[in-house]
């Protein structure tokens, strides 16, 4: 069932029972990003399995700033302390709240080192109604886009690997009925990608102002896209 927007917001045709304890953003899809980012940005994606059901702790392709050069890498979705010797999920560091950047030693350390990243996605999911299937949220026209984030290096038995977190900010008018607490920071133009990834301009870490759309899924993501499960 498509849910279209008029400008930024249209009332959703289903009851909204918000789970206030839910953390955002915790599920994404990457099914149309490869060709788009290669064509529009000239950034080839690393080899990966496209998926519609990507969640924290899984390995997914992202773009990172390394010495002011953009490269595509495979990273695990749950930021670790830079230089960690093991992967730890004790704290929920798969999201980084914009309003708490200055209160977090982890985010301050990665920002100081210039470890900024962009996570290419085709959509993300939210569960506005308890016990019901999620909503698939995307930009008008299904254009792929990036989520602003931070990355770090951790070591798996001495082998260096990547991890990352996605920034979240205040919800815009479209997102408030779905999730009144937060939404991911969306970058939808080459200019915004450059401002964040290359220049580190924190003014881009704000709610999205463009048009968004959403579809109410008819079943659980795992039931609709079982072939898209990505191994940890």
């Amino acid at each position: 069932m498509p849910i279209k927007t008029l400008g930024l917001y249209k009332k959703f045709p289903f009851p909204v029972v918000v789970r206030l304890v839910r953390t955002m953003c915790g599920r994404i899809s990457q099914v149309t990003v490869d060709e788009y980012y290669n064509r529009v940005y000239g950034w080839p994606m690393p080899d990966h399995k496209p998926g519609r059901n990507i969640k924290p702790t899984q390995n997914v392709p992202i773009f990172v700033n390394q010495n002011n050069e953009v490269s595509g890498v495979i990273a695990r979705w749950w930021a670790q302390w830079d230089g960690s010797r093991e992967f730890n999920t004790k704290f929920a560091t798969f999201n980084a709240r914009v309003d708490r950047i200055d209160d977090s030693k982890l985010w301050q350390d990665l920002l100081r080192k210039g470890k900024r990243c962009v996570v290419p996605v085709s959509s993300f999911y939210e569960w506005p109604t308890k016990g019901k299937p999620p909503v698939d949220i995307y930009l008008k026209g299904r254009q792929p886009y990036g989520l602003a984030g931070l990355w770090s290096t951790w070591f798996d038995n001495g082998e260096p690997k990547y991890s990352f977190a996605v920034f979240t900010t205040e919800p815009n008018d479209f997102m408030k009925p779905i999730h009144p607490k937060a939404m991911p920071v969306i970058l939808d133009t080459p200019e915004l990608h450059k401002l964040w990834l290359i220049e580190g301009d924190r003014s881009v870490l704000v709610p999205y102002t463009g048009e968004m759309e959403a579809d109410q899924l008819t079943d659980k993501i795992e039931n609709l896209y079982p072939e898209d499960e990505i191994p940890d």
Side-chain angles (χ1 to χ4, degrees), residues 117-191:
C117 69
V118 169
V119 185
V121 302
S122 44
S123 68
F124 65 94
Y125 302 95
E126 255 306 321
W127 283 254
T129 307
K130 186 176 181 179
K132 298 293 184 179
V135 173
D136 182 18
I137 304 160
Y138 50 94
L139 301 192
K140 185 177 181 180
R142 286 284 185 183
Q143 172 191 317
Y145 54 98
L147 304 181
L150 295 170
W151 67 277
S152 65
T153 302
W154 66 284
F155 292 87
D156 184 7
N157 293 320
E159 180 184 356
K161 296 190 175 183
Y162 296 88
S163 68
F164 72 95
V166 170
F167 273 117
T168 61
T169 186
E170 293 297 314
N172 60 21
D173 287 343
F174 180 89
M175 286 299 302
K176 284 177 182 176
I178 304 175
H179 196 296
K181 291 284 188 175
M183 69 177 296
V185 173
I186 292 173
L187 310 175
D188 66 343
T189 67
E191 291 75 21

Side-chain angles (χ1 to χ4, degrees), residues 79-144:
Q80 305 295 296
W81 279 96
D82 204 38
S84 295
R85 299 293 167 178
E86 62 180 1
F87 191 87
N88 193 316
T89 57
K90 181 178 180 180
F91 300 102
T93 53
F94 55 90
N95 285 165
R97 285 183 51 169
V98 171
D99 61 348
R100 293 184 179 176
I101 291 176
D102 295 326
D103 300 328
S104 168
K105 292 182 179 180
L106 172 59
W107 309 139
Q108 282 294 298
D109 178 59
L110 298 181
L111 283 168
R112 179 176 56 83
K113 294 175 178 177
K115 294 204 163 187
R116 301 178 298 275
C117 69
V118 169
V119 185
V121 302
S122 44
S123 68
F124 65 94
Y125 302 95
E126 255 306 321
W127 283 254
T129 307
K130 186 176 181 179
K132 298 293 184 179
V135 173
D136 182 18
I137 304 160
Y138 50 94
L139 301 192
K140 185 177 181 180
R142 286 284 185 183
Q143 172 191 317

Side-chain angles (χ1 to χ4, degrees), residues 9-144:
Y9 169 75
K10 182 177 180 180
K11 186 175 180 181
F12 287 84
F14 50 82
V16 176
V17 180
V18 179
R19 291 185 290 173
L20 295 178
V21 298
R22 184 171 179 81
T23 303
M24 175 107 180
C25 159
R27 201 75 66 97
I28 61 174
S29 68
Q30 288 184 318
V31 292
T32 58
V33 297
D34 296 60
E35 186 276 334
Y36 181 82
Y37 270 84
N38 197 15
R39 172 173 53 85
V40 176
Y41 295 87
W43 299 346
M45 299 276 285
D47 290 338
H48 72 106
K49 176 184 176 182
R52 294 179 176 87
N53 184 22
I54 300 170
K55 38 198 165 178
T57 74
Q58 292 182 324
N59 290 300
V60 296
I62 66 173
F63 294 109
V64 301
N65 177 334
Q66 296 193 81
N67 301 316
N68 288 324
E69 292 188 1
V70 177
S71 57
V73 303
I74 298 296
R76 198 166 182 184
W77 187 3
W78 201 298
Q80 305 295 296
W81 279 96
D82 204 38
S84 295
R85 299 293 167 178
E86 62 180 1
F87 191 87
N88 193 316
T89 57
K90 181 178 180 180
F91 300 102
T93 53
F94 55 90
N95 285 165
R97 285 183 51 169
V98 171
D99 61 348
R100 293 184 179 176
I101 291 176
D102 295 326
D103 300 328
S104 168
K105 292 182 179 180
L106 172 59
W107 309 139
Q108 282 294 298
D109 178 59
L110 298 181
L111 283 168
R112 179 176 56 83
K113 294 175 178 177
K115 294 204 163 187
R116 301 178 298 275
C117 69
V118 169
V119 185
V121 302
S122 44
S123 68
F124 65 94
Y125 302 95
E126 255 306 321
W127 283 254
T129 307
K130 186 176 181 179
K132 298 293 184 179
V135 173
D136 182 18
I137 304 160
Y138 50 94
L139 301 192
K140 185 177 181 180
R142 286 284 185 183
Q143 172 191 317

